[in-house]
mmCIF file of all heavy atoms in Angstrom:
data_model
loop_
_atom_site.group_PDB
_atom_site.id
_atom_site.type_symbol
_atom_site.label_atom_id
_atom_site.label_comp_id
_atom_site.label_asym_id
_atom_site.label_seq_id
_atom_site.Cartn_x
_atom_site.Cartn_y
_atom_site.Cartn_z
ATOM 1 N N GLY A 1 13.559 -10.943 10.845
ATOM 2 C CA GLY A 1 12.086 -11.227 10.800
ATOM 3 C C GLY A 1 11.606 -11.717 9.404
ATOM 4 O O GLY A 1 10.776 -12.675 9.382
ATOM 5 N N LEU A 2 12.120 -11.098 8.370
ATOM 6 C CA LEU A 2 11.703 -11.612 6.986
ATOM 7 C C LEU A 2 12.095 -12.958 6.718
ATOM 8 O O LEU A 2 11.474 -13.820 6.171
ATOM 9 C CB LEU A 2 12.262 -10.577 6.000
ATOM 10 C CG LEU A 2 11.657 -9.168 5.959
ATOM 11 C CD1 LEU A 2 12.378 -8.320 4.949
ATOM 12 C CD2 LEU A 2 10.146 -9.118 5.781
ATOM 13 N N SER A 3 13.365 -13.292 7.205
ATOM 14 C CA SER A 3 13.911 -14.676 7.044
ATOM 15 C C SER A 3 13.002 -15.670 7.819
ATOM 16 O O SER A 3 12.699 -16.753 7.359
ATOM 17 C CB SER A 3 15.297 -14.812 7.557
ATOM 18 O OG SER A 3 16.224 -14.100 6.671
ATOM 19 N N ALA A 4 12.594 -15.180 9.012
ATOM 20 C CA ALA A 4 11.711 -16.074 9.903
ATOM 21 C C ALA A 4 10.375 -16.381 9.136
ATOM 22 O O ALA A 4 9.954 -17.539 9.225
ATOM 23 C CB ALA A 4 11.508 -15.448 11.192
ATOM 24 N N VAL A 5 9.816 -15.355 8.530
ATOM 25 C CA VAL A 5 8.582 -15.581 7.832
ATOM 26 C C VAL A 5 8.729 -16.556 6.699
ATOM 27 O O VAL A 5 7.995 -17.564 6.577
ATOM 28 C CB VAL A 5 7.981 -14.202 7.301
ATOM 29 C CG1 VAL A 5 6.803 -14.486 6.401
ATOM 30 C CG2 VAL A 5 7.535 -13.327 8.469
ATOM 31 N N ALA A 6 9.787 -16.288 5.854
ATOM 32 C CA ALA A 6 10.022 -17.162 4.706
ATOM 33 C C ALA A 6 10.313 -18.583 5.119
ATOM 34 O O ALA A 6 9.820 -19.529 4.500
ATOM 35 C CB ALA A 6 11.109 -16.574 3.913
ATOM 36 N N ILE A 7 11.119 -18.770 6.154
ATOM 37 C CA ILE A 7 11.530 -20.160 6.531
ATOM 38 C C ILE A 7 10.371 -20.799 7.214
ATOM 39 O O ILE A 7 10.203 -22.024 7.025
ATOM 40 C CB ILE A 7 12.764 -20.019 7.496
ATOM 41 C CG1 ILE A 7 13.964 -19.493 6.667
ATOM 42 C CG2 ILE A 7 13.025 -21.361 8.083
ATOM 43 C CD1 ILE A 7 15.207 -19.178 7.509
ATOM 44 N N ALA A 8 9.555 -20.095 8.023
ATOM 45 C CA ALA A 8 8.404 -20.715 8.659
ATOM 46 C C ALA A 8 7.474 -21.302 7.589
ATOM 47 O O ALA A 8 6.974 -22.397 7.733
ATOM 48 C CB ALA A 8 7.695 -19.699 9.528
ATOM 49 N N LYS A 9 7.196 -20.483 6.564
ATOM 50 C CA LYS A 9 6.360 -20.982 5.424
ATOM 51 C C LYS A 9 7.005 -22.181 4.806
ATOM 52 O O LYS A 9 6.335 -23.150 4.385
ATOM 53 C CB LYS A 9 6.105 -19.848 4.444
ATOM 54 C CG LYS A 9 5.358 -18.632 5.019
ATOM 55 C CD LYS A 9 4.021 -19.060 5.720
ATOM 56 C CE LYS A 9 2.973 -19.527 4.715
ATOM 57 N NZ LYS A 9 1.658 -19.734 5.306
ATOM 58 N N GLY A 10 8.347 -22.144 4.642
ATOM 59 C CA GLY A 10 9.034 -23.290 4.038
ATOM 60 C C GLY A 10 9.025 -24.543 4.895
ATOM 61 O O GLY A 10 9.088 -25.657 4.411
ATOM 62 N N MET A 11 8.819 -24.325 6.174
ATOM 63 C CA MET A 11 8.728 -25.421 7.149
ATOM 64 C C MET A 11 7.287 -25.951 7.254
ATOM 65 O O MET A 11 7.030 -26.940 7.945
ATOM 66 C CB MET A 11 9.202 -25.007 8.535
ATOM 67 C CG MET A 11 10.695 -24.714 8.579
ATOM 68 S SD MET A 11 11.216 -23.852 10.167
ATOM 69 C CE MET A 11 11.124 -25.316 11.300
ATOM 70 N N GLY A 12 6.335 -25.255 6.571
ATOM 71 C CA GLY A 12 4.952 -25.788 6.480
ATOM 72 C C GLY A 12 4.001 -25.120 7.505
ATOM 73 O O GLY A 12 2.889 -25.636 7.611
ATOM 74 N N VAL A 13 4.411 -24.032 8.160
ATOM 75 C CA VAL A 13 3.480 -23.317 9.003
ATOM 76 C C VAL A 13 2.401 -22.650 8.164
ATOM 77 O O VAL A 13 2.647 -21.881 7.245
ATOM 78 C CB VAL A 13 4.209 -22.281 9.935
ATOM 79 C CG1 VAL A 13 3.166 -21.563 10.853
ATOM 80 C CG2 VAL A 13 5.313 -22.989 10.731
ATOM 81 N N LYS A 14 1.168 -22.971 8.487
ATOM 82 C CA LYS A 14 0.030 -22.533 7.671
ATOM 83 C C LYS A 14 -0.273 -21.003 7.894
ATOM 84 O O LYS A 14 -0.583 -20.226 6.963
ATOM 85 C CB LYS A 14 -1.193 -23.246 7.892
ATOM 86 C CG LYS A 14 -2.355 -22.966 7.006
ATOM 87 C CD LYS A 14 -3.553 -23.831 7.257
ATOM 88 C CE LYS A 14 -4.747 -23.449 6.368
ATOM 89 N NZ LYS A 14 -5.945 -24.282 6.574
ATOM 90 N N ASN A 15 -0.264 -20.521 9.160
ATOM 91 C CA ASN A 15 -0.732 -19.199 9.484
ATOM 92 C C ASN A 15 0.394 -18.403 10.151
ATOM 93 O O ASN A 15 0.766 -18.675 11.329
ATOM 94 C CB ASN A 15 -1.919 -19.264 10.489
ATOM 95 C CG ASN A 15 -3.051 -20.023 9.819
ATOM 96 O OD1 ASN A 15 -3.538 -19.719 8.724
ATOM 97 N ND2 ASN A 15 -3.619 -21.060 10.549
ATOM 98 N N VAL A 16 0.987 -17.406 9.472
ATOM 99 C CA VAL A 16 2.039 -16.625 9.995
ATOM 100 C C VAL A 16 1.674 -15.097 9.900
ATOM 101 O O VAL A 16 1.263 -14.670 8.862
ATOM 102 C CB VAL A 16 3.332 -16.861 9.200
ATOM 103 C CG1 VAL A 16 4.477 -15.989 9.712
ATOM 104 C CG2 VAL A 16 3.734 -18.299 9.210
ATOM 105 N N ILE A 17 1.845 -14.449 11.012
ATOM 106 C CA ILE A 17 1.583 -13.015 11.088
ATOM 107 C C ILE A 17 2.897 -12.296 11.363
ATOM 108 O O ILE A 17 3.660 -12.688 12.235
ATOM 109 C CB ILE A 17 0.516 -12.630 12.096
ATOM 110 C CG1 ILE A 17 0.326 -11.122 12.151
ATOM 111 C CG2 ILE A 17 0.829 -13.181 13.488
ATOM 112 C CD1 ILE A 17 -0.839 -10.622 12.917
ATOM 113 N N SER A 18 3.155 -11.257 10.578
ATOM 114 C CA SER A 18 4.322 -10.405 10.724
ATOM 115 C C SER A 18 3.964 -9.167 11.491
ATOM 116 O O SER A 18 3.005 -8.454 11.137
ATOM 117 C CB SER A 18 4.958 -10.090 9.399
ATOM 118 O OG SER A 18 6.090 -9.195 9.526
ATOM 119 N N VAL A 19 4.759 -8.850 12.527
ATOM 120 C CA VAL A 19 4.502 -7.644 13.412
ATOM 121 C C VAL A 19 5.617 -6.714 13.350
ATOM 122 O O VAL A 19 6.806 -7.099 13.593
ATOM 123 C CB VAL A 19 4.206 -8.184 14.844
ATOM 124 C CG1 VAL A 19 3.783 -6.947 15.716
ATOM 125 C CG2 VAL A 19 3.045 -9.198 14.848
ATOM 126 N N ASP A 20 5.320 -5.435 13.079
ATOM 127 C CA ASP A 20 6.364 -4.442 13.037
ATOM 128 C C ASP A 20 5.767 -3.089 13.171
ATOM 129 O O ASP A 20 4.604 -2.947 13.330
ATOM 130 C CB ASP A 20 7.215 -4.554 11.699
ATOM 131 C CG ASP A 20 8.521 -3.911 11.719
ATOM 132 O OD1 ASP A 20 8.651 -2.687 11.564
ATOM 133 O OD2 ASP A 20 9.545 -4.722 11.907
ATOM 134 N N ILE A 21 6.577 -2.002 13.022
ATOM 135 C CA ILE A 21 6.108 -0.653 13.185
ATOM 136 C C ILE A 21 6.268 0.120 11.850
ATOM 137 O O ILE A 21 6.112 1.360 11.760
ATOM 138 C CB ILE A 21 6.698 0.135 14.317
ATOM 139 C CG1 ILE A 21 8.212 0.141 14.197
ATOM 140 C CG2 ILE A 21 6.317 -0.480 15.650
ATOM 141 C CD1 ILE A 21 8.882 1.062 15.217
ATOM 142 N N ASP A 22 6.723 -0.615 10.793
ATOM 143 C CA ASP A 22 7.054 0.039 9.521
ATOM 144 C C ASP A 22 6.282 -0.608 8.402
ATOM 145 O O ASP A 22 6.499 -1.874 8.125
ATOM 146 C CB ASP A 22 8.605 -0.137 9.289
ATOM 147 C CG ASP A 22 9.069 0.565 8.056
ATOM 148 O OD1 ASP A 22 8.417 0.513 7.000
ATOM 149 O OD2 ASP A 22 10.143 1.175 8.099
ATOM 150 N N ASP A 23 5.380 0.118 7.743
ATOM 151 C CA ASP A 23 4.513 -0.476 6.725
ATOM 152 C C ASP A 23 5.314 -1.016 5.523
ATOM 153 O O ASP A 23 4.915 -1.991 4.917
ATOM 154 C CB ASP A 23 3.503 0.608 6.205
ATOM 155 C CG ASP A 23 2.386 0.798 7.206
ATOM 156 O OD1 ASP A 23 2.145 -0.128 8.042
ATOM 157 O OD2 ASP A 23 1.774 1.892 7.211
ATOM 158 N N GLU A 24 6.426 -0.366 5.196
ATOM 159 C CA GLU A 24 7.212 -0.802 4.020
ATOM 160 C C GLU A 24 7.769 -2.231 4.366
ATOM 161 O O GLU A 24 7.702 -3.034 3.458
ATOM 162 C CB GLU A 24 8.327 0.064 3.776
ATOM 163 C CG GLU A 24 9.239 -0.240 2.571
ATOM 164 C CD GLU A 24 10.358 0.647 2.271
ATOM 165 O OE1 GLU A 24 10.394 1.819 2.862
ATOM 166 O OE2 GLU A 24 11.214 0.260 1.493
ATOM 167 N N LYS A 25 8.243 -2.427 5.557
ATOM 168 C CA LYS A 25 8.798 -3.691 5.935
ATOM 169 C C LYS A 25 7.709 -4.723 6.037
ATOM 170 O O LYS A 25 7.900 -5.967 5.696
ATOM 171 C CB LYS A 25 9.548 -3.580 7.194
ATOM 172 C CG LYS A 25 10.892 -2.752 7.046
ATOM 173 C CD LYS A 25 11.662 -2.501 8.344
ATOM 174 C CE LYS A 25 12.870 -1.742 8.059
ATOM 175 N NZ LYS A 25 13.659 -1.452 9.262
ATOM 176 N N LEU A 26 6.556 -4.288 6.462
ATOM 177 C CA LEU A 26 5.388 -5.303 6.536
ATOM 178 C C LEU A 26 4.951 -5.715 5.143
ATOM 179 O O LEU A 26 4.556 -6.842 4.937
ATOM 180 C CB LEU A 26 4.249 -4.646 7.277
ATOM 181 C CG LEU A 26 4.448 -4.579 8.795
ATOM 182 C CD1 LEU A 26 3.299 -3.666 9.467
ATOM 183 C CD2 LEU A 26 4.575 -5.879 9.444
ATOM 184 N N GLU A 27 5.045 -4.750 4.142
ATOM 185 C CA GLU A 27 4.782 -5.176 2.760
ATOM 186 C C GLU A 27 5.743 -6.217 2.286
ATOM 187 O O GLU A 27 5.423 -7.124 1.578
ATOM 188 C CB GLU A 27 4.774 -3.960 1.858
ATOM 189 C CG GLU A 27 3.528 -3.109 1.903
ATOM 190 C CD GLU A 27 2.268 -3.873 1.495
ATOM 191 O OE1 GLU A 27 2.353 -4.544 0.471
ATOM 192 O OE2 GLU A 27 1.267 -3.748 2.188
ATOM 193 N N ALA A 28 7.043 -6.023 2.689
ATOM 194 C CA ALA A 28 8.038 -7.017 2.296
ATOM 195 C C ALA A 28 7.776 -8.405 2.946
ATOM 196 O O ALA A 28 7.960 -9.405 2.327
ATOM 197 C CB ALA A 28 9.427 -6.497 2.747
ATOM 198 N N ALA A 29 7.183 -8.339 4.161
ATOM 199 C CA ALA A 29 6.861 -9.589 4.845
ATOM 200 C C ALA A 29 5.731 -10.338 4.056
ATOM 201 O O ALA A 29 5.742 -11.577 3.964
ATOM 202 C CB ALA A 29 6.389 -9.311 6.255
ATOM 203 N N LYS A 30 4.793 -9.532 3.558
ATOM 204 C CA LYS A 30 3.760 -10.191 2.727
ATOM 205 C C LYS A 30 4.308 -10.901 1.518
ATOM 206 O O LYS A 30 3.941 -11.922 1.039
ATOM 207 C CB LYS A 30 2.758 -9.112 2.257
ATOM 208 C CG LYS A 30 1.813 -8.553 3.345
ATOM 209 C CD LYS A 30 0.891 -7.527 2.775
ATOM 210 C CE LYS A 30 0.043 -6.827 3.728
ATOM 211 N NZ LYS A 30 -0.849 -5.773 3.180
#
């Protein structure tokens, strides 16, 4: 999931939301 967020932004996707059940991992997604 973290790779997907980073790569999506690298591909130029403007709006990406990360969805999980762990706040620590969601902070990593930010």
Side-chain angles (χ1 to χ4, degrees):
L2 293 177
S3 291
V5 171
I7 293 169
K9 299 305 290 187
M11 295 170 72
V13 180
K14 185 177 179 181
N15 302 308
V16 178
I17 179 170
S18 176
V19 182
D20 201 277
I21 58 173
D22 186 315
D23 284 336
E24 181 182 348
K25 293 178 179 179
L26 290 172
E27 282 299 314
K30 290 180 185 178

